[in-house]
Amino acid sequence: MNFLGILRDYTPSIINYINILNFSYEENQAFWNFRSFSYFSDFSEKTLFLASLLKKDLKKDLKKDLKKDLKKEKDGASNNYIKNIKNINSVVTQHPDLNKDKEFFFYLTGLIEGDGTIIVPKTERSIKGKLNYPSIQISFYLRDFPLALIIQQKLGFGSISRTKGSNAYRLTINNYEGLIYIVKALNGKFRTVKINDFYLLIDFLNNRFSELNIIKNELNTSSFKDNSWLSGFIDSDGHFFVRLNNSKVSCGFELVQASSDHKNRSKKKIMLSLSEYFNVNLFNINKDYCKGKLQYGVRFTNIKSNFLLIDYLSNYPLFSSKFLNYNDFNKVVNIINNKEHKTKEGLLTISEITKTMNNRRNIFIWDHLKNFYNINN
């Protein structure tokens, strides 16, 4: 069943109370198992009804009535964004605290710089007079739908939709309240060339609302170990691997980026910074699967760099399904460090781990989302 039709801008006010209990469904021949995780214990009558919709098919008449009801709520909220835009500073207090939740916003910035898009129209209105709206969009693999939901809940705005022709969902923020709040929260946390698109968004908002006067903060150059930006970037584009060939074990991490973005702006600087942080060389990729385009990669299997990554992710954890692959990676790194990979038992353990890593994994346990940036506070 596809229930995304009811997961739009109003979802955050509803999902706060939903307790997802051992709900599983089948989509694109992939089996998904959502382990129970709850946010609040109190349930409203409407919430219980919505929760039940996740477990059985909607009757057409109920679905139609629900859509009408929620559309009214959404339209009313959209009108209030414009009416109350001058009081934006008081409105945003309903969302995460810009100071207390700074690690969440560093993580979100890394996620956006990896798998996000900032769309800024050139004009406020189209040729036909329709209003053009900017947006921030973040893509998630199908398996990471729970992460998209919990980020939406944490923010308190945004809509989730299935990306046509792709095995992905997209979280979109395109209302002015949300955009202004996000810009204030992420300002000064960008590290890549995507900051130029972020600056365009600031210009658009400042022109649209003259009372804003948001100042553009410079590119962030702090050490990767000082905040959670890198964990968001890894959740977007990082890859953990364990390979076993007879008795030879290879265990490591890889992160690859196109050499430039769609506006031909080089990404080499951020990739060099990452290679230096992990004490490895930056390598170039130019193969057929890259469609002939140059890509930069940071890749390592050495024990020192592996433990450097483990130390970092112990402080700033992952929250996508890659967290599960990271756990497997961590286990094998410690097996190798203790020389247990030279034993029959150790090799058997590693062999079992490789059977369920990455694309071979079909059971996803989401208990780690309970620790998502104080989501219960």
Side-chain angles (χ1 to χ4, degrees):
M1 171 188 169
N2 182 0
F3 54 86
L4 281 184
I6 64 171
L7 299 173
R8 304 302 299 175
D9 281 332
Y10 45 79
T11 302
S13 63
I14 296 170
I15 203 69
N16 273 343
Y17 305 95
I18 291 181
N19 184 15
I20 303 176
L21 297 174
N22 297 323
F23 167 61
S24 64
Y25 66 98
E26 209 169 301
E27 183 169 349
N28 292 344
Q29 299 181 340
F31 176 80
W32 310 76
N33 180 18
F34 290 79
R35 173 72 71 84
S36 168
F37 61 93
S38 60
Y39 309 126
F40 295 90
S41 57
D42 296 328
F43 292 85
S44 66
E45 182 179 349
K46 187 174 186 180
T47 299
L48 285 172
F49 172 64
L50 287 170
S52 70
L53 298 183
L54 302 178
K55 300 180 181 180
K56 63 182 180 180
D57 289 335
L58 282 170
K59 292 183 179 179
K60 289 184 178 180
D61 55 339
L62 290 178
K63 187 174 182 180
K64 188 181 296 183
D65 290 342
L66 181 63
K67 282 188 174 181
K68 285 181 180 179
D69 178 42
L70 294 174
K71 187 178 187 301
K72 289 178 182 178
E73 292 181 20
K74 181 180 176 182
D75 290 343
S78 297
N79 291 332
N80 288 333
Y81 294 152
I82 304 301
K83 290 178 182 177
N84 298 326
I85 201 68
K86 291 185 178 181
N87 299 319
I88 191 67
N89 290 324
S90 62
V91 173
V92 297
T93 57
Q94 301 170 16
H95 304 298
D97 187 282
L98 296 181
N99 295 315
K100 291 183 180 179
D101 292 294
K102 67 176 184 177
E103 291 307 332
F104 166 66
F105 293 118
F106 269 111
Y107 171 84
L108 186 62
T109 306
L111 207 60
I112 291 171
E113 296 205 77
D115 274 335
T117 304
I118 301 174
I119 300 173
V120 183
K122 293 181 179 179
T123 59
E124 188 176 332
R125 290 185 180 273
S126 68
I127 297 175
K128 294 183 178 180
K130 291 185 65 176
L131 282 172
N132 292 323
Y133 291 93
S135 67
I136 295 176
Q137 302 178 4
I138 310 173
S139 294
F140 298 85
Y141 287 112
L142 289 181
R143 58 181 173 268
D144 289 320
F145 175 63
L147 176 60
L149 272 181
I150 208 166
I151 290 175
Q152 185 191 43
Q153 181 212 13
K154 178 74 172 177
L155 289 173
F157 43 70
S159 63
I160 297 175
S161 59
R162 177 71 181 270
T163 305
K164 292 182 180 179
S166 176
N167 292 326
Y169 292 117
R170 182 172 62 246
L171 172 61
T172 300
I173 302 162
N174 58 6
N175 61 70
Y176 284 126
E177 178 197 352
L179 287 171
I180 292 170
Y181 176 76
I182 283 289
V183 164
K184 289 183 176 181
L186 306 190
N187 200 5
K189 297 178 176 64
F190 277 76
R191 288 179 174 270
T192 74
V193 293
K194 200 162 284 186
I195 195 172
N196 295 291
D197 297 324
F198 185 69
Y199 284 164
L200 289 177
L201 179 57
I202 291 177
D203 289 339
F204 185 96
L205 293 174
N206 282 339
N207 290 333
R208 178 68 177 80
F209 306 102
S210 58
E211 66 275 14
L212 279 179
N213 192 30
I214 300 173
I215 306 300
K216 300 173 186 174
N217 290 338
E218 295 181 357
L219 204 69
N220 190 292
T221 57
S222 62
S223 173
F224 291 115
K225 66 181 177 61
D226 290 341
N227 55 66
S228 57
W229 180 91
L230 181 55
S231 64
F233 202 56
I234 291 173
D235 259 342
S236 290
D237 292 324
H239 175 69
F240 301 92
F241 60 87
V242 175
R243 298 190 179 103
L244 179 61
N245 185 8
N246 295 324
S247 60
K248 293 182 179 180
V249 182
S250 176
C251 177
F253 171 80
E254 182 178 65
L255 195 152
V256 176
Q257 290 281 290
S259 61
S260 60
D261 65 6
H262 64 289
K263 294 183 179 178
N264 205 32
R265 297 174 298 206
S266 176
K267 297 182 181 181
K268 190 171 185 177
K269 187 174 181 180
I270 185 64
M271 295 302 288
L272 274 173
S273 296
L274 284 171
S275 67
E276 291 169 1
Y277 178 72
F278 288 111
N279 298 310
V280 295
N281 293 324
L282 181 68
F283 70 93
N284 299 336
I285 307 173
N286 196 352
K287 296 182 178 179
D288 292 339
Y289 62 79
C290 303
K291 297 181 180 179
K293 295 181 179 179
L294 177 66
Q295 296 193 346
Y296 296 127
V298 173
R299 186 180 188 276
F300 51 82
T301 57
N302 70 82
I303 201 72
K304 185 176 180 180
S305 296
N306 280 342
F307 270 117
L308 185 62
L309 179 57
I310 290 171
D311 287 343
Y312 172 81
L313 292 177
S314 296
N315 293 319
Y316 305 105
L318 301 174
F319 290 102
S320 73
S321 58
K322 289 177 186 176
F323 173 83
L324 306 176
N325 295 321
Y326 162 71
N327 275 349
D328 290 338
F329 157 86
N330 195 351
K331 291 175 186 175
V332 176
V333 169
N334 281 283
I335 288 173
I336 294 173
N337 189 53
N338 296 328
K339 310 297 183 183
E340 295 171 8
H341 64 297
K342 296 183 178 181
T343 67
K344 184 178 180 180
E345 293 77 10
L347 288 173
L348 181 61
T349 299
I350 294 173
S351 177
E352 290 302 308
I353 287 174
T354 61
K355 291 178 181 179
T356 57
M357 273 193 76
N358 297 317
N359 292 335
R360 295 179 178 180
R361 186 185 305 278
N362 55 22
I363 301 295
F364 297 85
I365 307 301
W366 291 96
D367 287 352
H368 61 284
L369 287 185
K370 292 178 181 178
N371 302 317
F372 187 81
Y373 295 107
N374 301 317
I375 197 67
N376 289 313
N377 295 335

mmCIF file with all atom_site columns, all heavy atoms in Angstrom, residues 279-291:
data_model
loop_
_atom_site.group_PDB
_atom_site.id
_atom_site.type_symbol
_atom_site.label_atom_id
_atom_site.label_alt_id
_atom_site.label_comp_id
_atom_site.label_asym_id
_atom_site.label_entity_id
_atom_site.label_seq_id
_atom_site.pdbx_PDB_ins_code
_atom_site.Cartn_x
_atom_site.Cartn_y
_atom_site.Cartn_z
_atom_site.occupancy
_atom_site.B_iso_or_equiv
_atom_site.pdbx_formal_charge
_atom_site.auth_seq_id
_atom_site.auth_comp_id
_atom_site.auth_asym_id
_atom_site.auth_atom_id
_atom_site.pdbx_PDB_model_num
ATOM 1   N N   . ASN A 1 279 ? 44.133 11.030 6.491   1.00 0.00 ? 279 ASN A N   1
ATOM 2   C CA  . ASN A 1 279 ? 45.538 10.705 6.198   1.00 0.00 ? 279 ASN A CA  1
ATOM 3   C C   . ASN A 1 279 ? 45.700 9.728  5.032   1.00 0.00 ? 279 ASN A C   1
ATOM 4   O O   . ASN A 1 279 ? 46.463 8.755  5.098   1.00 0.00 ? 279 ASN A O   1
ATOM 5   C CB  . ASN A 1 279 ? 46.216 10.123 7.447   1.00 0.00 ? 279 ASN A CB  1
ATOM 6   C CG  . ASN A 1 279 ? 46.242 11.111 8.606   1.00 0.00 ? 279 ASN A CG  1
ATOM 7   O OD1 . ASN A 1 279 ? 46.641 12.251 8.442   1.00 0.00 ? 279 ASN A OD1 1
ATOM 8   N ND2 . ASN A 1 279 ? 45.794 10.660 9.764   1.00 0.00 ? 279 ASN A ND2 1
ATOM 9   N N   . VAL A 1 280 ? 44.955 9.980  3.956   1.00 0.00 ? 280 VAL A N   1
ATOM 10  C CA  . VAL A 1 280 ? 45.058 9.160  2.753   1.00 0.00 ? 280 VAL A CA  1
ATOM 11  C C   . VAL A 1 280 ? 45.145 10.076 1.534   1.00 0.00 ? 280 VAL A C   1
ATOM 12  O O   . VAL A 1 280 ? 44.896 11.283 1.633   1.00 0.00 ? 280 VAL A O   1
ATOM 13  C CB  . VAL A 1 280 ? 43.845 8.208  2.591   1.00 0.00 ? 280 VAL A CB  1
ATOM 14  C CG1 . VAL A 1 280 ? 43.818 7.188  3.715   1.00 0.00 ? 280 VAL A CG1 1
ATOM 15  C CG2 . VAL A 1 280 ? 42.542 8.989  2.537   1.00 0.00 ? 280 VAL A CG2 1
ATOM 16  N N   . ASN A 1 281 ? 45.500 9.506  0.409   1.00 0.00 ? 281 ASN A N   1
ATOM 17  C CA  . ASN A 1 281 ? 45.581 10.286 -0.830  1.00 0.00 ? 281 ASN A CA  1
ATOM 18  C C   . ASN A 1 281 ? 44.212 10.383 -1.496  1.00 0.00 ? 281 ASN A C   1
ATOM 19  O O   . ASN A 1 281 ? 43.426 9.428  -1.463  1.00 0.00 ? 281 ASN A O   1
ATOM 20  C CB  . ASN A 1 281 ? 46.578 9.648  -1.797  1.00 0.00 ? 281 ASN A CB  1
ATOM 21  C CG  . ASN A 1 281 ? 48.008 9.712  -1.281  1.00 0.00 ? 281 ASN A CG  1
ATOM 22  O OD1 . ASN A 1 281 ? 48.409 10.685 -0.636  1.00 0.00 ? 281 ASN A OD1 1
ATOM 23  N ND2 . ASN A 1 281 ? 48.780 8.664  -1.554  1.00 0.00 ? 281 ASN A ND2 1
ATOM 24  N N   . LEU A 1 282 ? 43.953 11.517 -2.124  1.00 0.00 ? 282 LEU A N   1
ATOM 25  C CA  . LEU A 1 282 ? 42.744 11.673 -2.927  1.00 0.00 ? 282 LEU A CA  1
ATOM 26  C C   . LEU A 1 282 ? 42.968 10.950 -4.246  1.00 0.00 ? 282 LEU A C   1
ATOM 27  O O   . LEU A 1 282 ? 44.021 11.072 -4.864  1.00 0.00 ? 282 LEU A O   1
ATOM 28  C CB  . LEU A 1 282 ? 42.475 13.156 -3.182  1.00 0.00 ? 282 LEU A CB  1
ATOM 29  C CG  . LEU A 1 282 ? 41.220 13.495 -4.003  1.00 0.00 ? 282 LEU A CG  1
ATOM 30  C CD1 . LEU A 1 282 ? 39.968 13.151 -3.216  1.00 0.00 ? 282 LEU A CD1 1
ATOM 31  C CD2 . LEU A 1 282 ? 41.218 14.976 -4.384  1.00 0.00 ? 282 LEU A CD2 1
ATOM 32  N N   . PHE A 1 283 ? 41.990 10.149 -4.677  1.00 0.00 ? 283 PHE A N   1
ATOM 33  C CA  . PHE A 1 283 ? 42.177 9.455  -5.948  1.00 0.00 ? 283 PHE A CA  1
ATOM 34  C C   . PHE A 1 283 ? 41.107 9.865  -6.950  1.00 0.00 ? 283 PHE A C   1
ATOM 35  O O   . PHE A 1 283 ? 40.010 10.298 -6.581  1.00 0.00 ? 283 PHE A O   1
ATOM 36  C CB  . PHE A 1 283 ? 42.194 7.934  -5.747  1.00 0.00 ? 283 PHE A CB  1
ATOM 37  C CG  . PHE A 1 283 ? 40.876 7.322  -5.373  1.00 0.00 ? 283 PHE A CG  1
ATOM 38  C CD1 . PHE A 1 283 ? 40.016 6.818  -6.340  1.00 0.00 ? 283 PHE A CD1 1
ATOM 39  C CD2 . PHE A 1 283 ? 40.492 7.216  -4.040  1.00 0.00 ? 283 PHE A CD2 1
ATOM 40  C CE1 . PHE A 1 283 ? 38.811 6.243  -5.997  1.00 0.00 ? 283 PHE A CE1 1
ATOM 41  C CE2 . PHE A 1 283 ? 39.282 6.634  -3.682  1.00 0.00 ? 283 PHE A CE2 1
ATOM 42  C CZ  . PHE A 1 283 ? 38.436 6.145  -4.670  1.00 0.00 ? 283 PHE A CZ  1
ATOM 43  N N   . ASN A 1 284 ? 41.438 9.747  -8.215  1.00 0.00 ? 284 ASN A N   1
ATOM 44  C CA  . ASN A 1 284 ? 40.533 10.097 -9.303  1.00 0.00 ? 284 ASN A CA  1
ATOM 45  C C   . ASN A 1 284 ? 39.896 8.838  -9.890  1.00 0.00 ? 284 ASN A C   1
ATOM 46  O O   . ASN A 1 284 ? 40.544 7.797  -9.995  1.00 0.00 ? 284 ASN A O   1
ATOM 47  C CB  . ASN A 1 284 ? 41.270 10.838 -10.419 1.00 0.00 ? 284 ASN A CB  1
ATOM 48  C CG  . ASN A 1 284 ? 41.875 12.145 -9.929  1.00 0.00 ? 284 ASN A CG  1
ATOM 49  O OD1 . ASN A 1 284 ? 41.424 12.721 -8.943  1.00 0.00 ? 284 ASN A OD1 1
ATOM 50  N ND2 . ASN A 1 284 ? 42.898 12.626 -10.627 1.00 0.00 ? 284 ASN A ND2 1
ATOM 51  N N   . ILE A 1 285 ? 38.636 8.960  -10.280 1.00 0.00 ? 285 ILE A N   1
ATOM 52  C CA  . ILE A 1 285 ? 37.926 7.856  -10.920 1.00 0.00 ? 285 ILE A CA  1
ATOM 53  C C   . ILE A 1 285 ? 37.406 8.361  -12.254 1.00 0.00 ? 285 ILE A C   1
ATOM 54  O O   . ILE A 1 285 ? 36.764 9.405  -12.326 1.00 0.00 ? 285 ILE A O   1
ATOM 55  C CB  . ILE A 1 285 ? 36.735 7.374  -10.072 1.00 0.00 ? 285 ILE A CB  1
ATOM 56  C CG1 . ILE A 1 285 ? 37.189 7.044  -8.654  1.00 0.00 ? 285 ILE A CG1 1
ATOM 57  C CG2 . ILE A 1 285 ? 36.066 6.171  -10.714 1.00 0.00 ? 285 ILE A CG2 1
ATOM 58  C CD1 . ILE A 1 285 ? 36.053 6.724  -7.717  1.00 0.00 ? 285 ILE A CD1 1
ATOM 59  N N   . ASN A 1 286 ? 37.677 7.607  -13.297 1.00 0.00 ? 286 ASN A N   1
ATOM 60  C CA  . ASN A 1 286 ? 37.170 7.984  -14.618 1.00 0.00 ? 286 ASN A CA  1
ATOM 61  C C   . ASN A 1 286 ? 36.858 6.706  -15.384 1.00 0.00 ? 286 ASN A C   1
ATOM 62  O O   . ASN A 1 286 ? 37.580 6.302  -16.279 1.00 0.00 ? 286 ASN A O   1
ATOM 63  C CB  . ASN A 1 286 ? 38.193 8.832  -15.366 1.00 0.00 ? 286 ASN A CB  1
ATOM 64  C CG  . ASN A 1 286 ? 37.581 9.564  -16.554 1.00 0.00 ? 286 ASN A CG  1
ATOM 65  O OD1 . ASN A 1 286 ? 36.426 9.312  -16.903 1.00 0.00 ? 286 ASN A OD1 1
ATOM 66  N ND2 . ASN A 1 286 ? 38.337 10.442 -17.174 1.00 0.00 ? 286 ASN A ND2 1
ATOM 67  N N   . LYS A 1 287 ? 35.756 6.074  -14.990 1.00 0.00 ? 287 LYS A N   1
ATOM 68  C CA  . LYS A 1 287 ? 35.406 4.773  -15.567 1.00 0.00 ? 287 LYS A CA  1
ATOM 69  C C   . LYS A 1 287 ? 34.076 4.843  -16.303 1.00 0.00 ? 287 LYS A C   1
ATOM 70  O O   . LYS A 1 287 ? 33.366 5.835  -16.248 1.00 0.00 ? 287 LYS A O   1
ATOM 71  C CB  . LYS A 1 287 ? 35.337 3.724  -14.445 1.00 0.00 ? 287 LYS A CB  1
ATOM 72  C CG  . LYS A 1 287 ? 36.693 3.508  -13.761 1.00 0.00 ? 287 LYS A CG  1
ATOM 73  C CD  . LYS A 1 287 ? 36.597 2.426  -12.701 1.00 0.00 ? 287 LYS A CD  1
ATOM 74  C CE  . LYS A 1 287 ? 37.952 2.177  -12.038 1.00 0.00 ? 287 LYS A CE  1
ATOM 75  N NZ  . LYS A 1 287 ? 37.881 1.141  -10.983 1.00 0.00 ? 287 LYS A NZ  1
ATOM 76  N N   . ASP A 1 288 ? 33.747 3.761  -16.969 1.00 0.00 ? 288 ASP A N   1
ATOM 77  C CA  . ASP A 1 288 ? 32.529 3.717  -17.779 1.00 0.00 ? 288 ASP A CA  1
ATOM 78  C C   . ASP A 1 288 ? 31.280 3.998  -16.964 1.00 0.00 ? 288 ASP A C   1
ATOM 79  O O   . ASP A 1 288 ? 30.367 4.688  -17.409 1.00 0.00 ? 288 ASP A O   1
ATOM 80  C CB  . ASP A 1 288 ? 32.404 2.354  -18.467 1.00 0.00 ? 288 ASP A CB  1
ATOM 81  C CG  . ASP A 1 288 ? 33.480 2.150  -19.528 1.00 0.00 ? 288 ASP A CG  1
ATOM 82  O OD1 . ASP A 1 288 ? 34.029 3.172  -19.987 1.00 0.00 ? 288 ASP A OD1 1
ATOM 83  O OD2 . ASP A 1 288 ? 33.751 0.999  -19.876 1.00 0.00 ? 288 ASP A OD2 1
ATOM 84  N N   . TYR A 1 289 ? 31.223 3.447  -15.713 1.00 0.00 ? 289 TYR A N   1
ATOM 85  C CA  . TYR A 1 289 ? 30.015 3.641  -14.918 1.00 0.00 ? 289 TYR A CA  1
ATOM 86  C C   . TYR A 1 289 ? 29.869 5.088  -14.437 1.00 0.00 ? 289 TYR A C   1
ATOM 87  O O   . TYR A 1 289 ? 28.837 5.483  -13.917 1.00 0.00 ? 289 TYR A O   1
ATOM 88  C CB  . TYR A 1 289 ? 29.955 2.675  -13.736 1.00 0.00 ? 289 TYR A CB  1
ATOM 89  C CG  . TYR A 1 289 ? 31.070 2.809  -12.724 1.00 0.00 ? 289 TYR A CG  1
ATOM 90  C CD1 . TYR A 1 289 ? 31.041 3.815  -11.773 1.00 0.00 ? 289 TYR A CD1 1
ATOM 91  C CD2 . TYR A 1 289 ? 32.124 1.901  -12.698 1.00 0.00 ? 289 TYR A CD2 1
ATOM 92  C CE1 . TYR A 1 289 ? 32.045 3.924  -10.824 1.00 0.00 ? 289 TYR A CE1 1
ATOM 93  C CE2 . TYR A 1 289 ? 33.128 1.998  -11.764 1.00 0.00 ? 289 TYR A CE2 1
ATOM 94  C CZ  . TYR A 1 289 ? 33.088 3.011  -10.818 1.00 0.00 ? 289 TYR A CZ  1
ATOM 95  O OH  . TYR A 1 289 ? 34.085 3.116  -9.896  1.00 0.00 ? 289 TYR A OH  1
ATOM 96  N N   . CYS A 1 290 ? 30.928 5.878  -14.595 1.00 0.00 ? 290 CYS A N   1
ATOM 97  C CA  . CYS A 1 290 ? 30.856 7.310  -14.280 1.00 0.00 ? 290 CYS A CA  1
ATOM 98  C C   . CYS A 1 290 ? 30.451 8.123  -15.503 1.00 0.00 ? 290 CYS A C   1
ATOM 99  O O   . CYS A 1 290 ? 30.458 9.357  -15.468 1.00 0.00 ? 290 CYS A O   1
ATOM 100 C CB  . CYS A 1 290 ? 32.206 7.823  -13.777 1.00 0.00 ? 290 CYS A CB  1
ATOM 101 S SG  . CYS A 1 290 ? 32.852 6.958  -12.342 1.00 0.00 ? 290 CYS A SG  1
ATOM 102 N N   . LYS A 1 291 ? 30.130 7.417  -16.602 1.00 0.00 ? 291 LYS A N   1
ATOM 103 C CA  . LYS A 1 291 ? 29.750 8.060  -17.871 1.00 0.00 ? 291 LYS A CA  1
ATOM 104 C C   . LYS A 1 291 ? 30.858 8.990  -18.378 1.00 0.00 ? 291 LYS A C   1
ATOM 105 O O   . LYS A 1 291 ? 30.592 10.037 -18.967 1.00 0.00 ? 291 LYS A O   1
ATOM 106 C CB  . LYS A 1 291 ? 28.442 8.835  -17.699 1.00 0.00 ? 291 LYS A CB  1
ATOM 107 C CG  . LYS A 1 291 ? 27.254 7.951  -17.354 1.00 0.00 ? 291 LYS A CG  1
ATOM 108 C CD  . LYS A 1 291 ? 25.976 8.763  -17.216 1.00 0.00 ? 291 LYS A CD  1
ATOM 109 C CE  . LYS A 1 291 ? 24.798 7.852  -16.867 1.00 0.00 ? 291 LYS A CE  1
ATOM 110 N NZ  . LYS A 1 291 ? 23.534 8.619  -16.703 1.00 0.00 ? 291 LYS A NZ  1
#
